[in-house]
Amino acid sequence: MKEDCRDKESLFADMEYKLRNLRSFITHARDIESGMEVIVNSLRASYQFPATYLLAEDIAVNLGQIKEIISPSNDITIREFIITAAGVRAAVIFVQDMTDEKYISQTILSQLLSPVVGETAVIGQLLEAIQDSLTAAAVTVTTDMAEIIKRLLSGDTVLLVDTEAAALIITTRKLEQRAISEPSSEPTIRGPRDAFTESLRVNITLLRRRLNNPNFIVKKMAIGKRSENTVALLYFRGITNPNLVYEAEERLKKLTVDVVGSTGLLENLIDDHPYSPFPTLFATERPDKVVAAMMDGKIAIMVDNSPYVTVAPATIGDFLQAGDDYYENWIVGSLLRFTRYFAAFFSMVTPAIYVALTTFHPGLIPAPLTLTIAEARMGIPFPAVVEAIAMEIALEILQEAGVRMPKTIGPAVSIVGGLVLGDAAVRAGLISAPVVVVIAFTAIVSFAIGNYRLSLPLRFFRIPLIFAASALGMFGVVMGVMVIVVHLSILESFGEPYLAPLTPKNSARLSDWKDSVVVAPAVAMQTRPAYLEPTDSRKMGDDDG
């Protein structure tokens, strides 16, 4: 009996211990639930619309509104003080690390704390008196809370004064920016060595240094619902077709995206054919290319914080041009440009042609070469199409690795990787040597295109053409190329044909051909491209601009 009692007591004690642990667990679970609820509620906090706030004459109300809009950000400084001469409360508000705090302290605050500023001003006119006395480069008065928040977050300083239902905005921006350097993606031999940066002001300055003319127009607009970013539309008045400028403005004004962070995103939003693999808007980091495009009657679009400028409308010929085409003799320039067209075509079709010839049309290959290929393929367990696709995939991986890895090791990895992989595959009897030669030739000619964005769709079409060649031979290759050409013929860029001036609409204007496949002498290019319908069609001769 005693043992039974002890067992029961032990059992009850054990159950009591487990119940205490269960209560503790439930308590912890409730604490976690309440903590998660606080986090979720904070994440669900309503988005603040500064335009719904109105400035009051009480500075405490204004400061409370601004704190409500910008909270819980803690990188914004609010410095309250008393204007000595007027005996009125005031406050300066600025964002740390985006403003020149030394200038604020030594110029703005020192003047406002002097016994002179605002001494004779009456209530209601104190802001005007301060605006007249400050030595800052730009000082504006505003009653718009949305403008205040926008300028504050852009690096300017806001001054609030008690009894005033307005605010002074003082330009005090001090933003770190990258220095002007050489173009990284568009190198040149004889051309200018400066490239655009992430600063919109610097980029516009680079163009104004080259276009010292009042007809060079810059129209700025703010785009973005959540974070307004400055976008600039640039064109040359008196040359660019006004309909093109109007179309560009309308497309930009209709954008309702949250943030426009780069020209790449902007191009996808205003593109005529967003589902086409071919780029229909041209992006460049070279100021001389943008100037040349505007002198032809095109427009340029800049996005603040982006080192690339979008040029529209664009044709496929724009992606196969280089600045050195115009800095060398026209014969040399024409040869170089024709080489790029040759490289663009064969970078897309070379593997497919090899598969078609070796699979369906070996009789089209010279007999000695046929025997060499057949001997090299002896013992290879895969058909030519599998070899080509496998090596093509390996090439794409190596090219992507070379682009994405650091510049110090990226090219070495792609080159060494290609050599080692190709040699090992041939030695192991998995791939024949002719396929390695064909893929290596394809890689080399693709590098000669010179434009990364155009090379991407050409690389994309290689595998579909290889499959077409493996199924239908050369007929499949020709049909695949025809489909691509038909697709290119229906593309447009801001209403202009993508294949201009090679399309029937413009083929009658032989003058447009002078700067398409070949480069004519400079003295012969006296007119601008007719397909752009410029206001002034002449480049040389009497000019009003």
Side-chain angles (χ1 to χ4, degrees):
M1 292 292 293
K2 292 182 179 179
E3 292 181 357
D4 291 341
C5 291
R6 291 194 190 97
D7 292 340
K8 290 181 180 179
E9 290 177 358
S10 176
L11 179 62
F12 287 145
D14 185 54
M15 291 180 62
E16 184 178 2
Y17 175 75
K18 290 181 179 180
L19 286 174
R20 285 199 299 268
N21 288 341
L22 180 61
R23 291 192 190 97
S24 177
F25 176 77
I26 294 174
T27 303
H28 286 303
R30 288 174 178 172
D31 292 340
I32 294 174
E33 181 183 5
S34 60
M36 291 297 297
E37 185 177 357
V38 172
I39 295 174
V40 171
N41 290 334
S42 66
L43 293 176
R44 289 178 177 175
S46 59
Y47 178 74
Q48 298 293 335
F49 293 93
T52 60
Y53 291 83
L54 299 176
L55 287 176
E57 294 184 354
D58 188 351
I59 189 174
V61 175
N62 295 335
L63 288 175
Q65 292 181 356
I66 292 178
K67 291 178 181 178
E68 182 178 350
I69 294 173
I70 63 178
S71 65
S73 299
N74 53 14
D75 62 336
I76 297 176
T77 300
I78 300 177
R79 167 75 161 83
E80 299 186 51
F81 59 95
I82 302 294
I83 299 178
T84 304
V88 178
R89 290 179 58 201
V92 291
I93 311 169
F94 57 90
V95 180
Q96 301 171 8
D97 302 323
M98 291 184 67
T99 57
D100 190 345
E101 298 184 28
K102 183 177 180 181
Y103 178 83
I104 295 174
S105 176
Q106 297 182 356
T107 302
I108 300 175
L109 291 178
S110 62
Q111 292 185 24
L112 293 175
L113 294 175
S114 69
V116 178
V117 176
E119 183 179 9
T120 60
V122 297
I123 299 299
Q125 298 179 357
L126 188 56
L127 277 183
E128 287 77 3
I130 296 174
Q131 182 182 16
D132 294 338
S133 60
L134 286 179
T135 59
V139 182
T140 57
V141 180
T142 182
T143 58
D144 185 3
M145 182 63 79
E147 178 69 14
I148 292 173
I149 298 301
K150 177 183 176 181
R151 295 286 297 274
L152 173 66
L153 299 179
S154 298
D156 292 334
T157 299
V158 176
L159 173 63
L160 296 176
V161 179
D162 200 17
T163 71
E164 297 283 349
L168 279 182
I169 300 179
I170 308 166
T171 301
T172 57
R173 300 181 187 181
K174 184 185 178 183
L175 303 179
E176 298 295 333
Q177 60 189 28
R178 180 169 59 92
I180 298 174
S181 58
E182 292 190 17
S184 59
S185 61
E186 299 175 271
T188 182
I189 298 176
R190 294 188 59 185
R193 301 303 177 92
D194 54 347
F196 292 119
T197 70
E198 288 76 13
S199 173
L200 181 64
R201 294 182 177 183
V202 173
N203 294 342
I204 294 176
T205 301
L206 290 175
L207 295 181
R208 286 212 176 272
R209 287 170 53 187
R210 291 169 166 84
L211 290 175
N212 187 12
N213 192 301
N215 291 307
F216 171 44
I217 306 300
V218 178
K219 291 186 176 181
K220 295 182 180 180
M221 58 191 76
I223 297 178
K225 296 188 300 182
R226 302 290 183 181
S227 177
E228 292 186 348
N229 201 5
T230 304
V231 176
L233 174 64
L234 304 93
Y235 63 95
F236 201 90
R237 182 173 54 195
I239 295 179
T240 307
N241 191 325
N243 294 330
L244 176 59
V245 177
Y246 175 78
E247 176 67 19
E249 284 188 280
E250 289 300 308
R251 293 192 187 189
L252 293 174
K253 291 178 181 178
K254 291 179 181 179
L255 296 180
T256 56
V257 67
D258 283 346
V259 179
V260 179
S262 66
T263 54
L265 175 60
L266 185 68
E267 290 170 9
N268 293 329
L269 295 173
I270 64 175
D271 198 349
D272 291 71
H273 303 275
Y275 298 105
S276 173
F278 287 93
T280 57
L281 294 173
F282 183 73
T284 179
E285 60 176 344
R286 295 183 58 87
D288 58 328
K289 279 192 174 183
V290 176
V291 170
M294 288 195 293
M295 288 295 97
D296 281 340
K298 298 183 179 183
I299 61 170
I301 301 175
M302 288 183 176
V303 177
D304 198 14
N305 302 315
S306 177
Y308 283 86
V309 175
T310 299
V311 176
T315 65
I316 193 170
D318 294 334
F319 297 91
L320 294 170
Q321 295 179 2
D324 289 320
D325 294 349
Y326 305 97
Y327 302 134
E328 300 291 346
N329 180 272
W330 69 275
I331 299 177
V332 177
S334 299
L335 178 61
L336 294 175
R337 185 173 297 181
F338 182 76
T339 301
R340 293 188 208 101
Y341 277 90
F342 174 88
F345 178 75
F346 281 97
S347 69
M348 181 176 61
V349 302
T350 299
I353 292 176
Y354 171 79
V355 172
L357 292 178
T358 56
T359 306
F360 289 91
H361 316 286
L364 297 178
I365 308 174
L369 181 58
T370 303
L371 295 176
T372 302
I373 295 175
E375 183 181 356
R377 285 191 45 77
M378 290 182 62
I380 302 300
F382 306 110
V385 59
V386 176
E387 288 184 277
I389 291 177
M391 289 302 297
E392 179 61 32
I393 294 174
L395 173 64
E396 292 299 323
I397 293 174
L398 289 174
Q399 285 184 326
E400 190 65 16
V403 172
R404 303 304 169 191
M405 294 187 70
K407 292 183 179 180
T408 54
I409 61 175
V413 168
S414 60
I415 295 173
V416 175
L419 293 174
V420 173
L421 181 64
D423 182 68
V426 172
R427 288 178 179 273
L430 300 176
I431 303 293
S432 62
V435 171
V436 176
V437 174
V438 168
I439 297 300
F441 174 78
T442 303
I444 292 172
V445 294
S446 66
F447 295 151
I449 297 174
N451 189 283
Y452 181 73
R453 296 188 65 205
L454 181 62
S455 68
L456 292 178
L458 298 180
R459 288 159 53 181
F460 167 77
F461 283 114
R462 286 177 194 162
I463 292 182
L465 288 176
I466 290 174
F467 280 116
S470 66
L472 301 173
M474 286 301 298
F475 178 75
V477 177
V478 173
M479 291 300 297
V481 172
M482 289 182 62
V483 170
I484 295 173
V485 172
V486 170
H487 174 70
L488 291 174
S489 66
I490 64 176
L491 294 181
E492 291 184 345
S493 178
F494 275 74
E496 301 299 337
Y498 193 55
L499 293 181
L502 308 177
T503 54
K505 175 183 176 181
N506 301 282
S507 60
R509 292 298 301 269
L510 295 179
S511 61
D512 286 1
W513 288 56
K514 296 177 181 179
D515 194 19
S516 55
V517 181
V518 297
V519 182
V523 295
M525 292 192 286
Q526 298 186 5
T527 58
R528 296 182 174 87
Y531 71 88
L532 293 172
E533 300 178 358
T535 305
D536 182 7
S537 62
R538 296 195 60 82
K539 283 186 177 180
M540 299 183 184
D542 294 334
D543 194 311
D544 295 333

